[in-house]
Amino acid sequence: AQKVTQAQTEISVVEKEDVTLDCVYETRDTTYYLFWYKQPPSGELVFLIRRNSFDEQNEISGRYSWNFQKSTSSFNFTITASQVVDSAVYFCALRSGAGSYQLTFGKGTKLSVIP
Amino acid sequence: DTGVSQDPRHKITKRGQNVTFRCDPISEHNRLYWYRQTLGQGPEFLTYFQNEAQLEKSRLLSDRFSAERPKGSFSTLEIQRTEQGDSAMYLCASSLPLGQGARETQYFGPGTRLLVL
């Protein structure tokens, strides 16, 4: 069985602060895929990043960065210099590399960036 | 390139009525997925199509739920004899065929918000 845990239910930061969203996953598969999605108040899930299990290289995209550590089964997401537009619910998700195409989502972390 | 579209965006119905939702995937995406999201939770997988074939179904998909993708393009999700517990956001996603770049990424539509009174 697969599981994704996002222990932080809600986080509030002041604009321009850095913030890290935690994601811990469980899977028995040796090949799997990890994702982060953003869900603004409008409701649509917006894809942010996909990471394959065999690629532990960290990634930076503008103010966003992701830290993938297989040793601790974590895939954390950091927003640098947060902005009000970053306010949303962020979901971490896991997909098996062994046949099933369903995504297993965490419960999400609601980020509020206060001006 | 248009994204995934869903219709209607909102639906209010009375308990016991049937409802049908439509999803149009991104063109050239042969895989289509349905998820359900209740308040404060992450999306939960319901079912998945590759072209017109329904290849995976969740245990969440009770007998009252049926999904189709008759021509391998758009899909419909029907809920019969709706119950108050069916109130949720129903999300559709699509992804590329095997052998093409980024095939593992699912792109989501705006969802259909269902309220059963």
Side-chain angles (χ1 to χ4, degrees):
Chain A
Q2 300 187 112
K3 186 178 179 181
V4 175
T5 300
Q6 295 181 256
Q8 304 150 308
T9 305
E10 293 192 41
I11 300 177
S12 290
V13 298
V14 177
E15 201 172 17
K16 298 185 183 178
E17 286 184 346
D18 299 346
V19 59
T20 295
L21 309 182
D22 298 333
C23 173
V24 174
Y25 62 91
E26 295 175 30
T27 180
R28 294 180 182 176
D29 296 330
T30 53
T31 301
Y32 51 89
Y33 303 89
L34 294 162
F35 302 81
W36 276 95
Y37 287 87
K38 174 182 180 180
Q39 189 173 44
S42 61
E44 184 166 349
L45 278 166
V46 177
F47 166 72
L48 296 177
I49 190 172
R50 180 187 77 253
R51 174 62 68 218
N52 305 332
S53 56
F54 44 87
D55 180 5
E56 286 194 70
Q57 199 168 23
N58 291 325
E59 185 159 337
I60 298 175
S61 176
R63 297 184 297 107
Y64 295 170
S65 62
W66 290 270
N67 183 359
F68 176 33
Q69 292 196 342
K70 285 180 79 169
S71 60
T72 56
S73 297
S74 65
F75 185 43
N76 296 337
F77 172 30
T78 297
I79 302 174
T80 303
S82 60
Q83 299 177 1
V84 173
V85 293
D86 296 328
S87 297
V89 181
Y90 291 86
F91 290 97
C92 180
L94 169 67
R95 209 217 89 186
S96 167
S100 174
Y101 285 87
Q102 63 176 280
L103 291 174
T104 299
F105 284 84
K107 291 189 175 183
T109 297
K110 182 178 181 181
L111 175 65
S112 298
V113 181
I114 304 164
Chain B
D1 188 23
T2 57
V4 178
S5 61
Q6 294 187 243
D7 184 68
R9 295 291 306 277
H10 302 273
K11 179 72 177 178
I12 300 174
T13 191
K14 292 182 179 178
R15 189 163 49 105
Q17 297 294 305
N18 299 344
V19 294
T20 300
F21 310 140
R22 176 180 169 126
C23 170
D24 287 87
I26 295 171
S27 59
E28 299 179 350
H29 281 198
N30 73 335
R31 295 167 187 256
L32 187 148
Y33 313 79
W34 285 99
Y35 291 81
R36 182 176 72 182
Q37 185 180 19
T38 53
L39 204 60
Q41 302 296 315
E44 296 173 294
F45 173 79
L46 292 178
T47 190
Y48 145 67
F49 290 86
Q50 180 172 304
N51 299 313
E52 64 275 9
Q54 189 172 18
L55 297 185
E56 257 187 281
K57 287 198 292 186
S58 162
R59 283 172 291 180
L60 290 176
L61 212 65
S62 75
D63 292 344
R64 298 184 297 105
F65 287 68
S66 62
E68 292 183 346
R69 196 182 182 198
K71 296 182 179 179
S73 56
F74 73 90
S75 174
T76 58
L77 177 68
E78 181 183 16
I79 308 174
Q80 296 181 329
R81 304 181 303 282
T82 52
E83 302 173 354
Q84 288 183 326
D86 297 330
S87 296
M89 173 85 91
Y90 290 84
L91 294 162
C92 178
S94 67
S95 65
L96 283 166
L98 278 178
Q100 298 192 26
R103 64 184 180 273
E104 311 302 346
T105 298
Q106 296 178 23
Y107 295 90
F108 284 81
T112 295
R113 196 176 293 276
L114 173 66
L115 177 60
V116 182
L117 301 176

